[in-house]
Amino acid sequence: MKTIATIALLSATLTTTILPAQAADHDRLLSEREAPQQAKQKQLKGIGIGALLGTLLAGPVGTIAGSGIGSIAGWGEGMEDAYQSEKQATTKKHEDLERSQRELNSNRQSLQQSKSNISQLQQLLQSLLLDIHFQTNSAVVEPHYYPRLQQLASKLNNLDGLHLRLTGFADHRGSDPYNQTLAKARVNALTALLVDHGLDPQRICTEVLGESTALSRQHNGLLPFDRRVEIRFLIDSQKQQ
């Protein structure tokens, strides 16, 4: 027992001379670097355990020595726990980042596919045209066209960037000035009807070709096909072409 007491006394002496200085350094580091909460908790726990063991081994003197040693042990354990927690958090962030990157790549592929679909749709629209036919010497739009034109105007109002080009024609009979005037009147009549159905007039551009491309020059049976207004769909960039 005398030997144990001597060891305890020596430990207490070393603790009271060396550990206080180290403790002061640790306190300064804690305040400057804001040590993890795990390290602080483990340090306090280590102090308690060390004090208990010191008391069992060497009484009050052992309590002092045990407290200092337990403090150091607890601090180290707490720092290890903090490191592991930080490592787990970093791993999770890395996994979240990889998942976000995969989602971003998937969204990019979807966007590219959408752009491709839009491009194909634009090409399809550009190749489509509607013909509104007229009676001989007439610029009156026939009533059976009304439902179709009303639906067209309604759909276009919900599609930004899409416009119409109306081109007026006439058959080859009559003088060229007369046919030019007649073709223009047909275009104006169709434009007015679309506007009446709610289509913005800014979405319509017009041109008049009259009899210049008349098919009936080669065959009179084609006369009805020349008396028409052609409706073609345009994208914004083509409006002025």
Side-chain angles (χ1 to χ4, degrees):
M1 291 299 293
K2 184 178 295 185
T3 301
I4 294 175
T6 302
I7 293 173
L9 180 60
L10 179 60
S11 298
T13 302
L14 291 173
T15 301
T16 55
T17 56
I18 297 175
L19 291 182
Q22 294 178 342
D25 290 338
H26 283 302
D27 289 340
R28 184 165 57 254
L29 290 174
L30 283 174
S31 62
E32 291 174 355
R33 300 184 182 180
E34 297 183 355
Q37 188 64 29
Q38 295 99 318
K40 297 178 183 179
Q41 293 174 349
K42 292 290 185 178
Q43 185 180 36
L44 293 174
K45 184 177 179 181
I47 291 174
I49 295 174
L52 176 60
L53 292 176
T55 301
L56 293 175
L57 291 174
V61 175
T63 299
I64 298 174
S67 296
I69 295 171
S71 174
I72 295 174
W75 172 264
E77 185 180 356
M79 289 299 289
E80 177 63 21
D81 289 349
Y83 167 75
Q84 292 298 333
S85 297
E86 184 65 24
K87 183 178 179 181
Q88 292 176 0
T90 300
T91 300
K92 186 178 184 305
K93 290 179 180 179
H94 183 68
E95 293 174 349
D96 291 343
L97 181 61
E98 288 184 339
R99 182 167 55 255
S100 298
Q101 186 64 45
R102 288 194 298 269
E103 292 176 354
L104 179 61
N105 291 337
S106 177
N107 292 337
R108 285 176 176 172
Q109 293 176 358
S110 299
L111 180 60
Q112 290 298 326
Q113 183 62 45
S114 297
K115 288 181 177 180
S116 176
N117 292 339
I118 291 173
S119 177
Q120 294 177 20
L121 179 60
Q122 289 175 342
Q123 294 175 13
L124 177 62
L125 284 173
Q126 292 165 21
S127 65
L128 290 177
L129 58 89
L130 301 176
D131 285 338
I132 306 299
H133 295 274
F134 293 80
Q135 298 288 345
T136 301
N137 294 327
S138 172
V140 176
V141 179
E142 297 297 322
H144 68 271
Y145 287 115
Y146 289 3
R148 192 187 311 176
L149 294 172
Q150 184 175 10
Q151 186 178 33
L152 176 62
S154 176
K155 295 297 183 182
L156 282 177
N157 282 330
N158 297 322
L159 295 173
D160 292 337
L162 193 60
H163 298 76
L164 296 181
R165 173 176 289 167
L166 308 184
T167 305
F169 298 91
D171 61 42
H172 72 286
R173 296 174 298 178
S175 67
D176 182 70
Y178 175 82
N179 286 333
Q180 193 76 6
T181 300
L182 180 59
K184 184 176 181 180
R186 288 168 175 169
V187 167
N188 291 341
L190 184 56
T191 299
L193 186 59
L194 288 170
V195 172
D196 287 343
H197 286 320
L199 184 62
D200 184 349
Q202 298 298 320
R203 306 280 291 276
I204 302 173
C205 58
T206 63
E207 63 178 345
V208 178
L209 296 182
E211 64 172 272
S212 61
T213 60
L215 300 173
S216 56
R217 292 182 188 279
Q218 287 76 35
H219 196 292
N220 284 338
L222 298 178
L223 286 170
F225 296 98
D226 286 334
R227 302 190 299 266
R228 75 188 191 278
V229 172
E230 180 184 274
I231 303 176
R232 187 177 295 275
F233 298 93
L234 301 176
I235 310 303
D236 260 340
S237 59
Q238 298 181 309
K239 185 180 177 182
Q240 301 302 327
Q241 294 179 2

